[in-house]
Amino acid sequence: MTQYETIAAELRRRITTGELKPGDRVPSTRALVRDFGVAMATATKALQTLQAERLVHPSPGVGTVVGPPPRAARRTLRPDQQPELNRDEVVRMGIAIADAEGLAALSMRRIASELGVSTMALYRYVGGKDVLVVRMVDAAIAEFPLGTPPDDWREAIAMVARVHWAAYRRHLWLASAISLSRPQLVPRLLPHTDAVLRALRGFEKSAALSTMISLFAYVRGVALVMEAEAQAEQDTGVTADEWVTEQADKLGTMIAMGDLPAFRELLADGFDYEYDLDKLFEFGLDVFLDGLSARLR
């Protein structure tokens, strides 16, 4: 028995014995990697095996849970039948899988399994995984209309940044799906770029382009922290605040033993920092805009 079959057999046992009940979340791929000491691809294949058997399915915002996918539960098809699909349905299923388990769990085979069609059938609708991801990004961004940018350059840039932050907050996979070095041609993202460039008309062209890229890199960078933290909390059951509390004594010892006077001053008198990513994002955005204001002057 291969490693992925061993993992699938163990999870199948938990499901059939009732240890894992319908609606319960099964271990994520990262948890399986940690618990069984296997590669990510092996853990993913184990979950895909159970999904093909309709024992589990992705649930947006929760993870992979016990039970058949809603679509499979609604339809009973003959072996020679294929459900009718459209492109939007394929894209929505891709988003549902990515929302529940991250982009690492996304594959054409996985989507086909969830929709009850052959893998090759999907290519008629989306062309391939790379094209699918671009369509997913476009659909996710569409949930957050940009609106008309304000005349004030600072407010216009802040509006675009906050729209992106809201989108990243809802779809944690979105930040890792968007490339800054090889930007995808996403129709609904182009007006965002245009709005920032309009706000930067006082800059020389190369400076305006660099500023636009830096802005998107800042928002995306903080959002990547959000994705990693959500995955860590799902895998360990420990929140960021709980983790910091657990590490406090160790940190105190390291600071006391090292030549770290600034750290000692920072933590003097029981200073307690609230690690809130929304507040951190807004603080960093203000710093970014203050710097732009100084450059414009």
Side-chain angles (χ1 to χ4, degrees):
M1 186 179 291
T2 63
Q3 289 180 314
Y4 86 85
E5 289 173 330
T6 299
I7 297 172
E10 170 58 20
L11 295 179
R12 191 183 297 111
R13 181 196 66 77
R14 297 180 193 178
I15 293 170
T16 56
T17 61
E19 185 178 337
L20 287 172
K21 298 178 175 58
D24 285 353
R25 183 164 60 85
V26 301
S28 67
T29 50
R30 294 195 183 190
L32 294 176
V33 167
R34 182 193 65 225
D35 295 342
F36 288 88
V38 297
M40 180 66 74
T42 301
T44 299
K45 193 170 183 179
L47 289 183
Q48 288 175 340
T49 299
L50 299 179
Q51 288 150 10
E53 297 172 10
R54 296 294 193 249
L55 291 176
V56 301
H57 72 277
S59 178
V62 178
T64 300
V65 299
V66 176
R71 184 187 180 91
R74 290 198 306 266
R75 299 188 181 189
T76 301
L77 301 172
R78 297 194 312 269
D80 62 337
Q81 286 182 309
Q82 290 282 317
E84 292 185 5
L85 292 178
N86 58 59
R87 179 183 294 165
D88 288 343
E89 191 169 9
V90 176
V91 171
R92 286 197 302 272
M93 179 54 74
I95 291 175
I97 293 171
D99 280 347
E101 301 175 45
L103 280 181
L106 185 70
S107 69
M108 300 297 280
R109 180 179 177 183
R110 170 69 183 282
I111 295 173
S113 175
E114 296 294 342
L115 293 175
V117 301
S118 68
T119 303
M120 291 305 298
L122 295 183
Y123 289 89
R124 296 200 304 269
Y125 300 98
V126 294
K129 184 177 177 181
D130 290 343
V131 176
L132 170 62
V133 171
V134 171
R135 295 190 185 280
M136 288 167 55
V137 171
D138 196 51
I141 290 295
E143 298 172 15
F144 299 86
L146 185 60
T148 303
D151 292 332
D152 180 82
W153 69 268
R154 184 178 181 119
E155 292 180 6
I157 292 176
M159 184 186 77
V160 175
R162 288 173 182 139
V163 166
H164 281 216
W165 180 251
Y168 291 146
R169 259 226 169 274
R170 180 178 296 179
H171 301 290
L172 299 183
W173 55 270
L174 187 56
S176 57
I178 293 176
S179 174
L180 292 178
S181 60
R182 299 187 180 187
Q184 305 97 323
L185 299 180
V186 181
R188 290 186 176 94
L189 274 179
L190 292 178
H192 298 211
T193 302
D194 189 74
V196 174
L197 291 175
R198 274 183 283 155
L200 295 171
R201 279 177 173 157
F203 278 72
E204 186 268 329
K205 288 184 178 180
S206 63
L209 187 59
S210 294
T211 300
M212 181 270 297
I213 295 172
S214 297
L215 173 70
F216 291 157
Y218 164 68
V219 183
R220 178 177 178 271
V222 182
L224 287 171
V225 175
M226 187 163 49
E227 179 189 23
E229 171 53 32
Q231 186 65 60
E233 184 171 336
Q234 184 185 75
D235 290 347
T236 65
V238 178
T239 67
D241 288 340
E242 290 169 342
W243 185 88
V244 169
T245 299
E246 291 175 359
Q247 303 298 314
D249 290 342
K250 295 179 182 178
L251 177 61
T253 300
M254 293 172 68
I255 292 173
M257 295 177 63
D259 183 20
L260 303 168
F263 254 123
R264 284 197 292 274
E265 291 175 12
L266 180 67
L267 300 179
D269 303 321
F271 172 73
D272 185 23
Y273 179 71
E274 181 184 2
Y275 187 73
D276 184 310
L277 277 176
D278 288 310
K279 292 180 179 178
L280 182 64
F281 162 72
E282 288 291 342
F283 178 85
L285 180 58
D286 279 342
V287 171
F288 185 93
L289 295 173
D290 287 346
L292 278 183
S293 181
R295 290 289 295 268
L296 282 172
R297 288 198 296 270

